[in-house]
Amino acid sequence: MTDRISKERRSWLMGRVGSRNTSPELRVRSVAHSLGLRFRLHKKDLPGRPDIVFPKHKLAIFVHGCFWHRHSGCRKASNPRSSVEFWQSKFAANVARDARAVQDLEELGWRVAVIWECETRTKEGVTSFLSANIDDRQRDPT
Ligand SMILES: [Zn+2]
């Protein structure tokens, strides 16, 4: 049997299915890297498995999809018109899980910042987000 799904198609599908290594996250990583910041990914031993962690700054970052994590006031966080109850309970569970992760991380002494998918579209947006959350004076030498 030959594999008929092209590589492009497969990566598109994977991007749709998985919540890890999505392109908004890659954009944040790429900017962090260009700023000379050292980070780690998907720390499994931390509550909520933050997407990007800056150990030196005790900063945990979540890169949230606007739809799934309900970016308030965002166009992308639209409400599906069918199966309303199903979606509402799913969204409520996501939001509750997110809030719980933030609380648990803060209890462990981490600062937590969330960058929304729609804020990762431009390099400038990501840069200002990272600058706002990371003290320049503590920046790692490149
Ligand atoms: Zn948004």
Side-chain angles (χ1 to χ4, degrees):
M1 285 291 277
T2 50
D3 189 346
R4 291 205 203 150
I5 302 175
S6 72
K7 206 177 167 192
E8 288 73 17
R9 174 82 183 156
R10 186 195 304 280
S11 74
W12 182 82
L13 285 168
M14 298 293 281
R16 303 267 298 181
V17 175
S19 60
R20 302 291 167 204
N21 300 321
T22 53
S23 65
E25 199 183 308
L26 287 176
R27 288 197 288 273
V28 176
R29 280 154 60 177
S30 132
V31 173
H33 188 76
S34 73
L35 292 171
L37 300 165
R38 308 236 170 100
F39 55 86
R40 295 182 179 220
L41 306 173
H42 308 144
K43 290 277 284 174
K44 293 193 181 80
D45 53 337
L46 289 177
R49 295 178 63 185
D51 295 303
I52 305 172
V53 166
F54 297 88
K56 190 177 171 184
H57 305 274
K58 268 268 178 176
L59 174 67
I61 285 178
F62 289 98
V63 183
H64 277 348
C66 299
F67 180 75
W68 286 106
H69 297 270
R70 309 317 285 161
H71 188 193
S72 81
C74 179
R75 197 166 54 81
K76 288 189 147 197
S78 58
N79 287 303
R81 296 208 185 123
S82 56
S83 313
V84 173
E85 280 181 24
F86 165 81
W87 287 106
Q88 278 180 349
S89 70
K90 204 155 178 58
F91 291 149
N94 283 349
V95 170
R97 198 181 309 123
D98 292 343
R100 180 78 215 205
V102 171
Q103 198 186 334
D104 289 350
L105 283 162
E106 285 176 348
E107 275 170 18
L108 292 170
W110 289 83
R111 284 188 300 129
V112 183
V114 170
I115 184 164
W116 294 95
E117 175 189 4
C118 65
E119 296 170 331
T120 65
R121 278 204 217 100
T122 64
K123 192 170 186 285
E124 289 71 26
V126 178
T127 304
S128 67
F129 167 81
L130 289 175
S131 309
N133 285 288
I134 290 176
D135 190 334
D136 267 359
R137 287 163 302 177
Q138 291 175 30
R139 196 164 280 175
D140 305 310
T142 45

